[in-house]
Amino acid sequence: MASSKQYLAFILDQFSGLEGITCRPMMGEYLLYYQGKLFGGIYDDRLLVKNIQSARSQGNAFGYRRGRQGAFIAACEGNVG
């Protein structure tokens, strides 16, 4: 299932306080970049964040849980709208 543009807009709005957040469409999903570096993506209307030290250190504070292939899934998954 491809991710919706509505969910993409919701996620980008959550990151609106950060300068340099961009996205690129990729086969119905979206890759997310911070200042040109890939940090995660939106897959099946779920935000997945790369499993790196900075994400792991913030994981519990934002309600992340382990997802497929070790990625973190953010708490803001599901139907928006």
Side-chain angles (χ1 to χ4, degrees), residues 33-46:
Y33 296 84
Y34 176 62
Q35 296 181 346
K37 292 187 179 188
L38 179 69
F39 74 88
I42 299 173
Y43 308 93
D44 299 329
D45 282 344
R46 297 184 303 168

Side-chain angles (χ1 to χ4, degrees), residues 18-52:
L18 295 173
E19 294 289 327
I21 298 288
T22 58
C23 69
R24 291 185 187 166
M26 177 68 73
M27 297 170 35
E29 309 298 349
Y30 300 94
L31 301 177
L32 298 174
Y33 296 84
Y34 176 62
Q35 296 181 346
K37 292 187 179 188
L38 179 69
F39 74 88
I42 299 173
Y43 308 93
D44 299 329
D45 282 344
R46 297 184 303 168
L47 171 64
L48 279 79
V49 179
K50 283 177 65 174
N51 185 2
I52 57 175

Side-chain angles (χ1 to χ4, degrees), residues 1 6-7 10 17 22-23 34-35 41 45-47 51-52 56-57 63 68-69 73 76 79 81:
M1 168 176 101
Q6 182 180 16
Y7 188 75
F10 169 73
T22 58
C23 69
Y34 176 62
Q35 296 181 346
D45 282 344
R46 297 184 303 168
L47 171 64
N51 185 2
I52 57 175
R56 287 191 300 269
S57 67
R68 61 182 179 208
Q69 299 177 357
I73 301 174
C76 54
N79 198 359

